């Protein structure tokens, strides 16, 4: 159990560029979540996968955002045509099979700065 | 819709003193309640959780929390804080099934005075 990993840890991009983040959940965890955290706020739910199926999307997830989880393992979050308002920490969390408490294990996050 | 309120944005406590961080939630059914801690540059670490049973739950690092349904509260306590407890603390609520993720409060920034 090596924990949830996220790459890159930091990303600086210019407005209008596309960025992609990767999340590797704990091995065999079938549930995966993406959150966004802005300065001075708690994390806000973006989307949820169970295995490879994306089952929930928050209204925060505009059409510039897309997430995938091919083969039910790692996940990617892509932001197209980035805006300054997209600057935030993007967090990934995973939950194991049969964990009724839905205890979420978080990765260290990817900090995005849009200039 | 569920929500979490952490009324204290900042709290300053002397090292060795007791600590209580407040959390109030709004949720229509029986909630799953969590406290997470976040240190600079670190991910969120789960301190403790409640979903049924004994309303006083014990967590890691000497923390405990008490669920009070009548007050819709889930306050975090520690009898004696250490300088290493300085961090951001988040209370969160979740639903059975977990599909909508957790709803977090805005956090309380804990400062420890020597």
């Amino acid at each position: 159990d090596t924990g949830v990993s996220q790459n890159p840890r930091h990303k600086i991009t210019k407005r209008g560029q596309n960025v992609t983040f990767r999340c590797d959940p704990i091995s065999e965890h079938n549930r995966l979540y993406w959150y966004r955290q802005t300065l001075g706020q708690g994390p806000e739910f973006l989307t949820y996968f169970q295995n490879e199926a994306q089952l929930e999307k928050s209204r925060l997830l505009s059409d510039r955002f897309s997430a995938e989880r091919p083969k039910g393992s790692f996940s990617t979050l892509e932001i197209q045509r980035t805006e300054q308002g997209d600057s935030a920490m993007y967090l990934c969390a995973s939950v194991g099979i049969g964990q009724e408490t839905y205890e979420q294990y978080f990765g260290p996050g990817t900090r995005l700065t849009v200039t | 819709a569920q929500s979490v309120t952490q009324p204290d944005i900042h709290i300053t406590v002397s090292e060795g003193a007791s600590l209580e961080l407040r959390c109030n939630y709004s949720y229509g059914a029986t909630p799953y309640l969590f406290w997470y801690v976040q240190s600079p540059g670190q991910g969120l670490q789960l301190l403790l959780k409640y979903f049924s049973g004994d309303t006083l739950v014990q967590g890691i690092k000497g923390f405990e929390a008490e669920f009070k349904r009548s007050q819709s509260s889930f306050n975090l306590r520690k009898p004696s804080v250490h300088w290493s407890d300085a961090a951001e603390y988040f209370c969160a609520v979740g639903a059975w099934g977990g599909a909508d993720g957790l709803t977090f409060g805005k956090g309380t920034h804990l400062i420890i005075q020597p």
Side-chain angles (χ1 to χ4, degrees), chain A residues 9 31 33 35 37 40-43 45 48 56 91 100-104 106-108, chain B residues 32 34 36 38 41 43-44 46 49 51 90 96-102 104-106:
Chain A
R9 294 291 304 275
R31 298 168 182 258
Y33 299 81
Y35 292 84
Q37 184 179 20
Q41 303 293 318
F45 168 73
Y48 161 64
E56 286 291 335
L91 296 164
E100 296 180 353
T101 62
Y102 302 104
E103 181 176 320
Q104 300 191 13
F106 282 83
Chain B
Y32 287 0
F34 304 82
Y36 282 86
Q38 187 177 39
L44 290 156
L46 180 68
K49 60 184 182 286
F51 40 94
F90 293 95
W96 187 92
D100 291 333
L102 298 178
F104 285 83
K106 293 187 176 182

Side-chain angles (χ1 to χ4, degrees), chain A:
Chain A
D1 181 351
T2 58
V4 178
S5 62
Q6 293 187 245
N7 289 288
R9 294 291 304 275
H10 303 274
K11 179 71 176 179
I12 300 174
T13 191
K14 293 186 177 180
R15 187 178 56 188
Q17 297 295 305
N18 298 345
V19 294
T20 299
F21 311 139
R22 176 178 170 128
C23 170
D24 287 89
I26 294 171
S27 179
E28 297 183 356
H29 275 198
N30 65 330
R31 298 168 182 258
L32 187 146
Y33 299 81
W34 284 98
Y35 292 84
R36 181 176 69 187
Q37 184 179 20
T38 54
L39 202 60
Q41 303 293 318
E44 296 173 293
F45 168 73
L46 290 178
T47 191
Y48 161 64
F49 289 85
Q50 184 167 321
N51 299 312
E52 66 276 8
Q54 188 174 20
L55 298 184
E56 286 291 335
K57 289 194 289 186
S58 162
R59 58 181 169 79
L60 294 175
L61 209 68
S62 76
D63 55 6
R64 294 185 298 106
F65 288 69
S66 63
E68 294 182 341
R69 194 182 181 199
K71 303 179 183 178
S73 56
F74 71 91
S75 176
T76 58
L77 178 67
E78 180 183 16
I79 309 174
Q80 296 182 325
R81 304 181 304 281
T82 52
E83 302 173 355
Q84 288 189 322
D86 296 332
S87 295
M89 176 78 85
Y90 290 85
L91 296 164
C92 174
S94 69
V95 178
I97 296 171
Q99 280 197 301
E100 296 180 353
T101 62
Y102 302 104
E103 181 176 320
Q104 300 191 13
Y105 294 84
F106 282 83
T110 294
R111 182 169 295 283
L112 173 66
T113 302
V114 181
T115 62

Side-chain angles (χ1 to χ4, degrees), chain B residues 22-89:
Chain B
R22 296 183 290 165
C23 172
N24 292 95
Y25 69 90
S26 172
Y27 187 65
T30 300
Y32 287 0
L33 293 161
F34 304 82
W35 274 100
Y36 282 86
V37 61
Q38 187 177 39
S39 299
Q42 304 293 315
L44 290 156
Q45 181 183 23
L46 180 68
L47 288 176
L48 45 77
K49 60 184 182 286
Y50 170 82
F51 40 94
S52 66
D54 193 347
T55 57
L56 184 64
V57 293
Q58 303 296 320
I60 62 171
K61 303 185 179 185
F63 286 94
E64 67 177 26
E66 186 172 12
F67 171 60
K68 293 185 177 180
R69 184 185 301 275
S70 62
Q71 298 177 19
S72 297
S73 69
F74 188 56
N75 293 350
L76 182 71
R77 301 193 294 248
K78 187 171 185 177
S80 175
V81 297
H82 185 261
W83 65 266
S84 60
D85 292 325
E88 194 81 20
Y89 290 80

